[in-house]
Amino acid sequence: MTSAAASTAASTAAATPAPSPTARPPALLSVGDLHVSYGAITALRGVSLSVGQGEIVALIGANGAGKTSTLRAVSGMLSPKQGSITLDGKPIAGRKSHELVPLGMAHAPEGRGIFLNLSVDENLTLGAYLRSDHEGIEADRENGFTLFPRLRERRQQRAGTLSGGEQQMLAVARALMSRPRLLLLDEPSLGLAPQVIETIFKILRAVNQTGVSILLVEQNAHLALGVAHHAYVLETGQIVMEGTGKDLLATDEIRRAYLGE
Amino acid sequence: MSDLLQHVLNGLAAGTIYALVALGYTMVYGVLKLINFAHGDVMMVGVYVGYASAKQMGRDTSSSFLGVTLVFLLSMAMCAALGFLIERFAYRPLRDKPKLTALITAIGMSFFLSYSFQLEASLGGLTVLPGAAPRAFPDVITSQVWLIIGDVVVSNKQVISVVVALALMGGLQFLVFRTRFGMAMRAVSFDHRTAGLMGIPVDRVIALTFMLGSALAAGAGILYAIKDTLVQPLMGVTVGLKAFVAAVIGGIGHVPGAVVGSLCLGLVEEFVVGYGGSTWRDAVAFGFLIAVLLFRPEGIFGRVTAEKV
């Protein structure tokens, strides 16, 4: 990340060196010609993108552009009409969510998907539903509490009593409980106060540095492009532009359309 | 005074049986947001399975402890299988369709079961469908008076039915709140799609919930039939409807609520029969439902949930 990008992005931008645009790491996730529709309504018309090993990739675009649909198709929440999705070269299109978790996929969905009827602890336990290594699970729970100390204070509380920011923290901590290799995040900044956003993005960076690849969907283009190694712009179901976060931040069209400059 | 005690006792005994059926309604509603109107009819099928297996064993075997246990287990296992099939072939294909579609299918399934059992059919000497004529359930447990306190009489059937019902409910409570599967069930009940993202096999959890609810209904059906009732193909409709009312009174989707609602309903009915007139029984039962819903539309324990954005 260059200093120019860092100063435009929120102060969350620290020192992750972005790979040069020509040399992206080998793909962990790759999506090709993805079509998704809800009944008669077409949401995606031929989306292709990839997430390299260890990358943070941002998918930005306006409301209704198809960002959430892309994530849902990738994590098996809906099955695509057409197109390929591969994880580590293995085809996964059309497979159900619960089959993808053991392959290393974790998805903190739109609206956070917290089980409001369960306690914070139970939510975290569910994040590790498929694991049976008791000690490893407890270690990861501790780790989550270290990342987000406020969750430790509220571990016995019903998740429904948490604030929006705390719920978002829980969503991230819970997603990490499955020890994912690919983390899908849907609008983690939505509706949160700037400091909370800052905390969460700082942690996302740290998580990424432990080797977890991240596909981040955001309406807040500033924020997303600030952290992303690579980014795609989605418009009415199609990718219209891609590049490094830094490059896109410097593009006039992006500045006009998404940064309000 | 002793009158009152006797009625309380009878009411609670009847209530525990309703509770077992109500739990099935409430569990299925919990995971699918579907009122499974065929649930009472699954119970009826369970009673017939119990009837047939007791007849097959003969009077001596079926009235031994082992025999009775076997009658229960067979009937519960068959109903679990039936519940599985109903979910798999009638409800699952409609899961993503509007809720009303599944609801109407449930009503259809209820009619299908209760009316096909009014046909008579046999296959190689084995009765497959029993026909409409009411039959008396085999006397697998002979009535005995176990305890008399003053004028209050406690029969063995009441004790057995309360003990069996409590054991089944205790088991369910443990399963739902203390096990991994129970946590998965509660997660599915809150949100299918997110539950899938945790790695929970949602279809399997739903199928198991149906099987569990159906097995409890079979247990309840046999307790009900042993008590005093004739077995006939439409018996599931009334009992099912009452248990549904009990589940709604308690707050549909709430496990302890179903039990409390059922006990209330059992008591109310017993008091009406004991002090008013038995012709008013059903009217008062449904009147009670209306009264509760007027003041607490979500039921006694039901929660109005609001989501934070």
Side-chain angles (χ1 to χ4, degrees):
Chain A
M1 194 67 54
T2 65
S3 57
S7 62
T8 32
S11 56
T12 53
T16 325
S20 80
T22 46
R24 292 185 64 195
L28 174 62
L29 174 79
S30 77
V31 172
D33 192 30
L34 190 67
H35 290 253
V36 164
S37 53
Y38 302 92
I41 301 154
T42 306
L44 301 181
R45 31 192 121 222
V47 168
S48 299
L49 56 84
S50 70
V51 178
Q53 310 269 5
E55 273 187 329
I56 298 181
V57 171
L59 186 58
I60 61 171
N63 247 339
K67 305 185 299 289
T68 295
S69 298
T70 308
L71 284 197
R72 285 186 176 167
V74 168
S75 74
M77 289 175 88
L78 50 84
S79 45
K81 211 167 82 182
Q82 184 191 323
S84 71
I85 306 171
T86 59
L87 189 66
D88 268 337
K90 253 183 278 173
I92 57 165
R95 293 184 65 180
K96 298 207 167 167
S97 308
H98 70 92
E99 303 171 317
L100 299 178
V101 178
L103 300 181
M105 177 100 63
H107 181 177
E110 184 184 36
R112 304 169 195 133
I114 296 301
F115 298 109
L116 302 176
N117 56 336
L118 304 182
S119 71
V120 168
D121 255 340
E122 285 176 314
N123 268 281
L124 292 173
T125 307
L126 276 169
Y129 185 76
L130 291 180
R131 291 171 60 188
S132 49
D133 56 322
H134 187 72
E135 282 169 24
I137 294 174
E138 290 318 308
D140 285 352
R141 189 194 305 271
E142 267 312 302
N143 191 29
F145 288 149
T146 314
L147 291 175
F148 301 108
R150 279 159 80 178
L151 294 182
R152 190 198 302 274
E153 293 162 27
R154 306 180 192 281
R155 57 189 295 176
Q156 306 295 345
Q157 284 183 27
R158 251 170 29 87
T161 64
L162 300 184
S163 73
E166 289 161 346
Q167 286 185 16
Q168 187 59 57
M169 294 175 189
L170 180 55
V172 173
R174 187 183 64 182
L176 292 175
M177 289 298 289
S178 65
R179 293 211 172 151
R181 290 183 304 149
L182 176 63
L183 179 58
L184 310 180
L185 294 166
D186 200 337
E187 304 258 13
S189 75
L190 191 70
L192 303 186
Q195 290 130 306
V196 180
I197 296 178
E198 197 176 315
T199 312
I200 287 175
F201 272 71
K202 210 177 280 170
I203 283 160
L204 291 182
R205 251 168 209 294
V207 165
N208 172 246
Q209 253 147 30
T210 65
V212 180
S213 310
I214 296 176
L215 177 54
L216 171 70
V217 153
E218 262 295 346
Q219 266 197 75
N220 185 335
H222 242 303
L223 205 58
L225 296 177
V227 296
H229 301 118
H230 199 83
Y232 296 88
V233 181
L234 200 56
E235 248 170 44
T236 59
Q238 283 169 316
I239 302 283
V240 292
M241 205 184 292
E242 71 164 291
T244 62
K246 178 188 124 190
D247 287 348
L248 290 186
L249 269 176
T251 316
D252 281 347
E253 289 152 274
I254 297 290
R255 300 178 75 89
R256 259 197 309 276
Y258 298 104
L259 306 177
E261 289 174 12
Chain B
M1 184 60 200
S2 62
D3 242 25
L4 179 74
L5 265 178
Q6 182 75 57
H7 288 312
V8 168
L9 191 80
N10 295 349
L12 289 178
T16 48
I17 296 178
Y18 281 143
L20 285 178
V21 185
L23 283 171
Y25 276 106
T26 228
M27 273 168 25
V28 164
Y29 183 83
V31 294
L32 274 186
K33 304 289 171 281
L34 165 74
I35 306 295
N36 178 18
F37 277 113
H39 188 62
D41 304 283
V42 170
M43 182 205 84
M44 174 275 293
V45 174
V47 173
Y48 272 103
V49 173
Y51 174 90
S53 40
K55 283 279 186 210
Q56 279 296 317
M57 285 181 211
R59 198 185 149 70
D60 288 344
T61 324
S62 68
S63 55
S64 68
F65 178 73
L66 204 68
V68 177
T69 314
L70 202 62
V71 167
F72 269 98
L73 290 181
L74 272 173
S75 155
M76 290 171 79
M78 286 294 281
C79 278
L82 180 64
F84 174 82
L85 292 174
I86 291 176
E87 192 276 325
R88 180 68 191 78
F89 295 106
Y91 300 150
R92 192 180 299 179
L94 302 173
R95 185 127 6 115
D96 297 325
K97 301 283 183 291
K99 292 268 180 273
L100 198 59
T101 319
L103 192 72
I104 289 167
T105 307
I107 294 171
M109 183 52 72
S110 166
F111 284 151
F112 172 74
L113 289 174
S114 54
Y115 286 94
S116 57
F117 266 64
Q118 296 191 30
L119 299 171
E120 277 177 65
S122 54
L123 203 75
L126 193 75
T127 308
V128 182
L129 295 172
R135 301 153 187 248
F137 197 81
D139 209 9
V140 290
I141 296 173
T142 322
S143 261
Q144 282 170 356
V145 173
W146 271 7
L147 195 63
I148 302 178
I149 311 165
D151 294 335
V152 181
V153 181
V154 183
S155 80
N156 61 335
K157 286 183 180 177
Q158 280 174 325
V159 175
I160 291 170
S161 111
V162 169
V163 168
V164 171
L166 286 180
L168 289 173
M169 282 182 242
L172 181 71
Q173 183 75 7
F174 180 82
L175 185 85
V176 173
F177 291 101
R178 292 275 176 274
T179 66
R180 199 171 101 101
F181 174 74
M183 200 164 53
M185 234 172 99
R186 284 182 290 148
V188 169
S189 142
F190 189 76
D191 180 357
H192 285 198
R193 299 215 281 184
T194 311
L197 293 179
M198 303 295 108
I200 296 168
V202 175
D203 284 343
R204 203 179 312 156
V205 170
I206 290 173
L208 277 166
T209 305
F210 261 86
M211 294 171 71
L212 215 61
S214 303
L216 290 181
I222 293 187
L223 291 174
Y224 186 71
I226 282 175
K227 212 174 67 177
D228 51 16
T229 328
L230 288 175
V231 180
Q232 45 100 0
L234 289 178
M235 68 185 290
V237 177
T238 345
V239 182
L241 207 56
K242 292 286 181 60
F244 170 57
V245 166
V248 173
I249 289 173
I252 188 109
H254 192 275
V255 170
V259 177
V260 173
S262 301
L263 295 180
C264 292
L265 190 68
L267 286 171
V268 166
E269 286 197 350
E270 174 65 24
F271 282 124
V272 174
V273 174
Y275 292 115
S278 48
T279 45
W280 285 91
R281 196 174 85 151
D282 293 353
V284 172
F286 290 105
F288 180 53
L289 171 72
I290 293 170
V292 169
L293 294 188
L294 273 178
F295 294 102
R296 275 192 73 84
E298 65 278 16
I300 299 173
F301 290 100
R303 255 203 208 104
V304 185
T305 48
E307 271 182 51
K308 237 177 221 163
V309 184

